[in-house]
């Protein structure tokens, strides 16, 4: 067996797990092909993400080498027939690999690849299904209660010698799943945690103590699962944000996937317009990838050398004439519609590739920047959200990427000459607001800094007020504004802004020009008037 050392990665396990999840749409049982889409293709994509280079060509090209022989041509029909029963069979369930198993693939460890291209330990899921925190000291308990001051917490006081306590365990685990990240559920074994039992004066088990917004709310004793479920579910309701009780069906649609711009560009025309640069090997390789993905699907498109293409983009922003730079950015835009590509660029040091072309646009005024360049730049940043790995970089990287992206967005929102630019801007605002809301709901924290939220909100309101011609643009602007405001904390600066700017009146005024736009009523009346008062 040949062992090839591919290099080292310092990517954390959570990032690796997120990337593996994003490959789920490409590597499915149905898409498996022994010759054209197999474990070698997966290993190539995964290694490109981990260490910036794919596996050797003599491995990836081995199936095609076999096919090119007379024996391979003769054998293929039988192999296809034999595999069909596997690739069209129901997918068996499998247990998820714990996050800890991913640690062997990160933190500077060597990445090894066997000559058959296999990679091990692919988790089917890494999402927690509900957590009960087992604590034994006040030093562990106090930070958990502090973190629940905006929501709620429950302490279950139990003991190893308490048989009735076991009756409540299944119900408590069920509540942990229901509460998710909206509540902190804690379990304390008083036979091990004497200081906690003493502070809370626990005399019997099971005892339950609940906290709402940092204050003690209730206490009761007894192993009654129905009482436990009823009391804690009521606590969840009391702790929930008032906005969750508003009727916002059109704003909070089930499908909150990011807006992507995946239309195939005229590849040959772009390369011709680039001149000599169009013959660069990095351009040739990325063009083939984009073409293969569009014509045969993502499963048939192997990742090219993305490090080389990133360097090409960065060089192009320095050397291309202003009126042709859009050609290079449009190639990047089309490639980043694939989650594998955006996942690789998400972990690029200093976000050099995205920062380079965003900076090139921001350095030019609205009049100086060509329409085509601004449009594809906005669409390329939208496509960065095809991978979940990019959200934190776009929203929380400060001057590296967040500030330039917000500058690009707020400037472009006010383009009164090109509706397509306003639509792309509204789409980017939606992607940002949606990702920030997900963090707000799931982790209880804001990814986008408050000052950037305020600037974005003010620009959205100004753009809504000015929008008179595009229904699509207005719908995107309203949806982005709604998600930016939904479930904000009472002390958020963005709340003061919408009151000062009389946002409700601004939104409702659009009802005359756009009488069929249902979001005018939902955002203007329900969210802004009722929910922000």
């Amino acid at each position: 067996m040949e062992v090839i050392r591919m290099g080292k990665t310092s990517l954390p396990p959570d990032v690796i797990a997120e990337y593996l999840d994003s490959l789920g749409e490409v590597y499915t049982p149905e898409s498996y092909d022994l010759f054209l889409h197999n474990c070698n293709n997966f290993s190539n994509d995964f290694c490109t993400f981990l260490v910036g280079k794919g596996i050797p060509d003599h491995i990836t090209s081995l199936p095609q080498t076999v096919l090119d022989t007379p024996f391979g041509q003769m054998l293929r029909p039988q192999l296809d027939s034999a595999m069909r029963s596997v690739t069209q069979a129901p997918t068996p369930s499998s247990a998820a690999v714990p996050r800890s198993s991913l640690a062997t693939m990160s933190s500077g460890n060597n990445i090894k690849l066997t000559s058959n291209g296999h990679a091990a330990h692919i988790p089917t899921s890494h999402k927690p299904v509900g957590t009960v925190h087992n604590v034994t000291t006040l030093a562990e308990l106090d930070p958990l209660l502090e973190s629940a001051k905006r929501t709620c917490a429950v302490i279950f006081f139990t003991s190893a010698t308490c048989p009735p306590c076991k009756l409540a365990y299944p119900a408590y685990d069920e509540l942990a799943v229901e509460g998710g990240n909206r509540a902190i559920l804690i379990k304390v074994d008083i036979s091990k945690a004497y200081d906690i039992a003493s502070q809370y004066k626990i005399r019997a088990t099971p005892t339950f103590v609940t906290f709402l917004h940092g204050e003690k709310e209730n206490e009761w004793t007894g192993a009654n699962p129905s009482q436990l479920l009823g009391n804690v579910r009521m606590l969840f309701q009391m702790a929930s944000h008032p906005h969750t009780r508003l009727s916002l069906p059109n704003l909070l649609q089930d499908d909150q996937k990011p807006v992507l711009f995946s239309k195939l560009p005229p590849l040959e025309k772009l390369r011709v317009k680039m001149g000599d640069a169009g013959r660069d090997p990095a351009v040739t390789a990325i063009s083939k990838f984009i073409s293969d993905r569009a014509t045969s699907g993502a499963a048939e498109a192997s990742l090219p050398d993305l490090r080389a293409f990133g360097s090409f983009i960065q060089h192009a922003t320095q050397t291309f004439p202003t009126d042709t730079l859009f050609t290079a950015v449009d190639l990047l835009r089309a490639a980043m519609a694939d989650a594998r590509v955006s996942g690789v660029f998400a972990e690029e040091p200093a976000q050099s590739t995205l920062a380079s072309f965003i900076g090139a646009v921001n350095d030019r005024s609205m009049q100086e920047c060509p329409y085509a360049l601004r449009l594809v730049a906005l669409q390329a940043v939208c496509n960065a959200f095809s991978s979940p790995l990019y959200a934190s970089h776009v929203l929380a990287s400060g001057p590296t990427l967040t500030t330039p992206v917000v500058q690009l967005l707020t400037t472009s929102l006010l383009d009164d000459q090109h509706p397509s630019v306003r639509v792309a801007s509204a789409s980017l605002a939606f992607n940002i607001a949606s990702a920030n809301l997900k963090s707000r709901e799931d982790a209880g924290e804001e990814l986008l800094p408050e000052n950037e939220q305020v600037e974005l909100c003010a620009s959205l309101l100004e753009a809504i007020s000015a929008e008179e011609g595009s229904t699509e643009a207005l719908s995107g602007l309203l949806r982005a504004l709604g998600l930016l405001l939904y479930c904000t904390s009472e002390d958020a600066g963005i709340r003061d802004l919408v009151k000062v700017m009389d946002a409700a009146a601004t939104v409702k005024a659009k009802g005359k020009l756009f009488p069929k736009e249902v979001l005018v009523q939902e955002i203007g009346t329900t969210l802004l008037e009722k929910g922000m008062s």
Side-chain angles (χ1 to χ4, degrees):
M1 177 185 292
E2 179 186 8
V3 177
I4 303 171
R5 295 188 179 276
M6 298 302 299
K8 294 183 178 181
T9 183
S10 58
L11 295 174
D14 285 357
V15 170
I16 296 173
E18 287 271 16
Y19 183 75
L20 287 172
D21 275 356
S22 72
L23 296 181
E25 297 179 2
V26 177
Y27 293 98
T28 65
E30 294 77 16
S31 70
Y32 182 82
D33 187 294
L34 184 62
F35 291 101
L36 302 177
H37 193 243
N38 51 48
C39 56
N40 290 341
N41 300 96
F42 168 81
S43 298
N44 183 69
D45 290 352
F46 193 31
C47 281
T48 299
F49 174 70
L50 291 175
V51 297
K53 61 181 179 181
I55 65 178
D57 289 343
H58 74 270
I59 296 178
T60 56
S61 62
L62 182 60
Q64 189 61 48
T65 302
V66 174
L67 274 182
D68 288 342
T69 66
F71 179 72
Q73 293 295 322
M74 179 183 69
L75 195 60
R76 178 161 188 177
Q78 287 103 341
L79 288 173
D80 283 346
S81 177
M83 290 301 300
R84 191 171 296 116
S85 62
V86 177
T87 59
Q88 295 181 4
T91 306
S93 60
S94 59
V97 176
R99 281 183 181 271
S100 58
S101 69
L102 290 172
T104 59
M105 296 192 289
S106 65
S107 302
N109 289 318
N110 287 321
I111 305 300
K112 295 183 180 180
L113 185 73
T114 60
S115 58
N116 63 7
H118 282 282
H121 302 305
I122 304 170
T124 56
S125 173
H126 65 279
K127 297 178 181 178
V129 293
T131 300
V132 174
H133 302 270
N134 291 281
V135 303
T136 57
T137 66
L138 286 169
E140 295 174 314
L141 177 63
D142 291 343
L144 287 172
L145 293 178
E146 181 68 24
S147 69
K149 279 193 171 181
R150 288 191 173 186
T151 54
C152 60
V154 185
I155 305 179
F156 178 179
F157 290 96
T158 182
S159 170
T161 58
C162 171
C165 292
K166 297 179 181 179
L167 297 174
Y169 288 170
Y172 202 62
D173 290 339
E174 180 182 341
L175 289 167
V177 175
E178 290 182 22
N181 291 312
R182 298 178 294 112
I184 302 293
L185 272 72
I186 303 164
K187 190 182 291 182
V188 176
D189 185 339
I190 64 170
S191 65
K192 299 177 181 177
Y194 304 109
D195 55 342
I196 300 177
S198 175
Q199 177 163 317
Y200 286 89
K201 300 177 181 177
I202 302 302
R203 300 289 181 264
T205 56
T207 294
F208 300 89
V209 180
T210 60
F211 298 83
L212 179 63
H213 300 151
E215 301 292 333
K216 182 177 177 180
E217 189 266 335
N218 195 7
E219 180 176 339
W220 72 96
T221 302
N224 184 333
S226 297
Q227 181 185 20
L228 172 62
L229 290 170
N231 286 353
V232 176
R233 283 171 176 161
M234 180 62 70
L235 178 73
F236 289 168
Q237 286 292 322
M238 291 188 293
S240 65
H241 197 286
H243 286 178
T244 61
R245 295 187 283 276
L246 298 175
S247 178
L248 301 166
N250 295 289
L251 174 65
L252 305 177
Q253 296 174 349
D254 291 337
D255 184 7
Q256 294 286 0
K257 292 182 178 179
V259 178
L260 304 179
F261 294 87
S262 55
K263 182 179 178 181
L264 180 68
L267 296 172
E268 192 56 38
K269 289 184 178 179
L270 289 181
R271 294 175 64 185
V272 169
K273 194 168 183 63
M274 288 182 188
D276 291 342
R279 292 187 288 275
D280 188 291
V283 173
T284 302
I286 202 72
S287 298
K288 183 180 185 303
F289 169 77
I290 294 168
S291 178
D292 289 348
R293 186 177 186 276
T295 56
S296 305
E300 305 299 327
S302 297
L303 288 181
D305 185 346
L306 295 177
R307 183 180 295 175
F309 183 59
S311 297
F312 173 83
I313 293 291
Q314 295 170 47
H315 181 68
T317 60
Q318 301 295 323
T319 59
F320 273 36
T322 301
D323 60 347
T324 60
L325 179 56
F326 81 91
T327 58
V329 179
D330 202 22
L331 285 178
L332 179 64
R333 184 271 309 167
M336 289 187 67
D338 190 300
R340 295 171 294 173
V341 176
S342 54
V344 170
F345 280 119
E347 299 309 312
E348 182 184 43
Q351 304 299 310
S352 303
T353 299
L354 252 69
S356 65
F357 74 79
I358 293 173
V361 175
N362 287 342
D363 288 343
R364 296 166 172 83
S365 67
M366 185 70 75
Q367 292 72 29
E368 294 172 337
C369 181
Y371 153 72
L373 175 58
R374 183 173 293 276
L375 178 63
V376 296
L378 288 162
Q379 293 175 343
V381 181
C382 280
N383 287 358
F385 287 86
S386 65
S387 169
L389 297 175
Y390 239 124
S392 61
H393 294 301
V394 175
L395 275 68
S397 61
T400 301
L401 201 58
T402 304
T403 300
V405 166
V406 172
Q407 180 184 344
L408 170 68
L409 174 55
T410 54
T411 302
S412 303
L413 281 170
L414 302 178
D415 185 340
D416 58 359
Q417 300 297 315
H418 305 103
S420 54
V421 168
R422 299 199 300 277
V423 169
S425 302
S427 300
L428 177 54
F430 168 83
N431 288 355
I432 290 173
S434 180
N436 192 62
L437 175 60
K438 187 176 188 304
S439 175
R440 183 183 293 157
E441 292 183 326
D442 292 350
E445 62 183 19
E446 305 287 327
L447 277 180
L448 191 64
E450 185 174 59
N451 64 310
E452 305 287 11
Q453 289 190 42
V454 169
E455 182 178 353
L456 178 55
C457 182
S459 297
L460 285 169
L461 286 170
E462 190 174 352
I464 289 169
S465 177
E467 186 57 60
E468 296 181 349
S470 173
T471 302
E472 186 179 4
L474 180 69
S475 178
L477 293 168
L478 291 172
R479 197 174 299 279
L481 177 65
L483 296 182
L484 194 62
L485 296 172
Y486 186 71
C487 285
T488 48
S489 63
E490 293 290 335
D491 58 351
I494 198 172
R495 283 178 168 255
D496 296 331
L497 176 73
V498 296
K499 292 175 182 177
V500 170
M501 294 187 68
D502 198 2
T506 298
V507 172
K508 290 195 297 180
K510 308 313 293 185
K512 295 179 181 179
L513 276 176
F514 302 91
K516 295 182 179 180
E517 179 51 71
V518 294
L519 285 171
V520 170
Q521 176 70 18
E522 275 193 20
I523 305 300
T525 301
T526 306
L527 181 58
L528 286 169
E529 280 194 347
K530 297 179 180 179
M532 307 296 285
S533 58

Coordinates of all heavy atoms in Angstrom, one line a residue, residues 32-57:
Y32 N -23.3 8.2 -6.9 CA -22.1 7.4 -6.9 C -21.9 6.7 -8.3 O -22.8 6.1 -8.8 CB -22.0 6.4 -5.8 CG -20.7 5.6 -5.8 CD1 -19.6 6.1 -5.1 CD2 -20.6 4.3 -6.4 CE1 -18.4 5.4 -5.1 CE2 -19.5 3.6 -6.4 CZ -18.4 4.1 -5.8 OH -17.2 3.4 -5.7
D33 N -20.7 6.8 -8.8 CA -20.3 6.2 -10.1 C -18.9 5.6 -9.9 O -18.0 6.4 -9.5 CB -20.4 7.1 -11.3 CG -20.1 6.4 -12.6 OD1 -19.0 5.9 -12.8 OD2 -21.1 6.4 -13.4
L34 N -18.7 4.3 -10.0 CA -17.5 3.7 -9.8 C -16.3 4.3 -10.6 O -15.2 4.4 -10.1 CB -17.6 2.2 -10.1 CG -16.4 1.3 -9.8 CD1 -16.1 1.3 -8.3 CD2 -16.6 -0.1 -10.3
F35 N -16.6 4.8 -11.8 CA -15.6 5.3 -12.6 C -15.5 6.8 -12.6 O -14.4 7.4 -12.7 CB -15.8 4.9 -14.1 CG -15.6 3.4 -14.3 CD1 -16.6 2.5 -14.3 CD2 -14.3 2.9 -14.3 CE1 -16.4 1.2 -14.5 CE2 -14.1 1.5 -14.5 CZ -15.2 0.6 -14.6
L36 N -16.7 7.5 -12.5 CA -16.7 8.9 -12.7 C -16.9 9.8 -11.4 O -16.6 10.9 -11.4 CB -17.8 9.3 -13.7 CG -17.6 8.7 -15.1 CD1 -18.8 9.0 -16.0 CD2 -16.3 9.1 -15.8
H37 N -17.5 9.2 -10.4 CA -17.8 9.9 -9.2 C -17.7 9.0 -8.0 O -18.7 8.5 -7.5 CB -19.2 10.6 -9.3 CG -19.5 11.6 -8.3 ND1 -20.4 11.5 -7.3 CD2 -18.9 12.8 -8.0 CE1 -20.4 12.5 -6.5 NE2 -19.5 13.3 -6.9
N38 N -16.5 8.9 -7.5 CA -16.2 7.9 -6.4 C -15.5 8.5 -5.2 O -15.4 9.7 -5.1 CB -15.5 6.7 -7.1 CG -14.2 7.2 -7.8 OD1 -13.5 8.0 -7.3 ND2 -14.0 6.8 -9.1
C39 N -14.9 7.6 -4.4 CA -14.3 8.0 -3.2 C -13.1 8.9 -3.5 O -12.7 9.8 -2.7 CB -13.9 6.9 -2.4 SG -12.8 5.7 -3.2
N40 N -12.4 8.7 -4.7 CA -11.3 9.6 -5.0 C -11.7 11.0 -5.2 O -11.0 11.9 -4.9 CB -10.6 9.0 -6.3 CG -9.9 7.7 -6.1 OD1 -9.6 7.4 -5.0 ND2 -9.7 7.0 -7.2
N41 N -12.9 11.2 -5.9 CA -13.4 12.6 -6.1 C -13.7 13.3 -4.7 O -13.3 14.4 -4.5 CB -14.7 12.5 -6.9 CG -14.5 11.9 -8.3 OD1 -14.7 10.7 -8.4 ND2 -14.0 12.7 -9.2
F42 N -14.3 12.5 -3.8 CA -14.5 13.1 -2.5 C -13.2 13.4 -1.8 O -13.0 14.5 -1.2 CB -15.3 12.1 -1.6 CG -15.3 12.5 -0.2 CD1 -16.2 13.4 0.3 CD2 -14.4 11.9 0.8 CE1 -16.2 13.8 1.6 CE2 -14.4 12.3 2.1 CZ -15.3 13.3 2.5
S43 N -12.2 12.5 -1.8 CA -10.9 12.7 -1.2 C -10.2 13.9 -1.8 O -9.6 14.7 -1.1 CB -10.1 11.5 -1.3 OG -10.6 10.4 -0.7
N44 N -10.4 14.1 -3.1 CA -9.7 15.3 -3.8 C -10.3 16.6 -3.3 O -9.6 17.5 -2.9 CB -9.9 15.1 -5.3 CG -9.3 16.3 -6.0 OD1 -8.0 16.4 -6.1 ND2 -10.1 17.2 -6.6
D45 N -11.7 16.6 -3.2 CA -12.3 17.8 -2.7 C -12.0 18.1 -1.2 O -11.7 19.2 -0.8 CB -13.9 17.7 -2.8 CG -14.3 17.7 -4.3 OD1 -13.5 18.0 -5.2 OD2 -15.5 17.5 -4.5
F46 N -12.0 17.0 -0.4 CA -11.7 17.2 1.0 C -10.3 17.6 1.3 O -10.0 18.5 2.1 CB -12.0 15.9 1.7 CG -12.1 16.0 3.2 CD1 -12.5 17.1 3.8 CD2 -11.7 14.9 4.0 CE1 -12.6 17.3 5.2 CE2 -11.8 15.0 5.4 CZ -12.3 16.2 6.0
C47 N -9.3 17.1 0.5 CA -7.9 17.5 0.7 C -7.7 18.9 0.2 O -6.9 19.6 0.8 CB -7.0 16.5 -0.1 SG -6.7 14.9 0.8
T48 N -8.4 19.3 -0.8 CA -8.3 20.7 -1.3 C -8.7 21.6 -0.2 O -8.1 22.7 0.0 CB -9.1 20.9 -2.6 OG1 -8.7 20.0 -3.6 CG2 -9.1 22.3 -3.0
F49 N -9.8 21.3 0.5 CA -10.2 22.1 1.6 C -9.2 22.1 2.8 O -8.9 23.2 3.4 CB -11.6 21.6 2.1 CG -12.1 22.3 3.3 CD1 -12.5 23.7 3.3 CD2 -12.1 21.7 4.5 CE1 -13.0 24.3 4.4 CE2 -12.6 22.3 5.7 CZ -13.0 23.6 5.6
L50 N -8.7 20.9 3.1 CA -7.9 20.8 4.3 C -6.5 21.4 4.1 O -6.0 22.1 5.0 CB -7.7 19.3 4.7 CG -9.0 18.6 5.2 CD1 -8.7 17.2 5.4 CD2 -9.4 19.3 6.5
V51 N -5.9 21.2 3.0 CA -4.5 21.6 2.8 C -4.2 22.4 1.6 O -3.1 22.8 1.3 CB -3.5 20.3 2.8 CG1 -3.6 19.6 4.1 CG2 -3.9 19.4 1.7
G52 N -5.3 22.7 0.8 CA -5.1 23.6 -0.3 C -4.6 23.0 -1.6 O -4.3 23.7 -2.6
K53 N -4.6 21.6 -1.6 CA -4.2 20.9 -2.9 C -4.9 19.6 -2.9 O -5.3 19.0 -1.9 CB -2.7 20.7 -2.9 CG -2.1 19.9 -1.8 CD -0.6 19.8 -1.9 CE -0.1 18.9 -0.8 NZ 1.4 18.8 -0.9
G54 N -5.2 19.1 -4.1 CA -5.9 17.9 -4.3 C -5.0 16.7 -4.3 O -3.8 16.8 -4.1
I55 N -5.6 15.5 -4.4 CA -4.8 14.3 -4.4 C -4.1 14.1 -5.7 O -4.5 14.8 -6.7 CB -5.6 13.1 -4.0 CG1 -6.7 12.8 -5.1 CG2 -6.3 13.2 -2.7 CD1 -7.5 11.6 -4.9
P56 N -3.0 13.4 -5.8 CA -2.3 13.3 -7.0 C -3.1 12.8 -8.2 O -4.0 12.0 -8.1 CB -1.2 12.2 -6.7 CG -1.0 12.3 -5.2 CD -2.4 12.6 -4.7
D57 N -2.7 13.3 -9.4 CA -3.5 13.0 -10.6 C -3.5 11.5 -10.9 O -4.5 11.0 -11.5 CB -2.9 13.7 -11.8 CG -3.2 15.2 -11.8 OD1 -4.1 15.6 -11.0 OD2 -2.5 16.0 -12.5

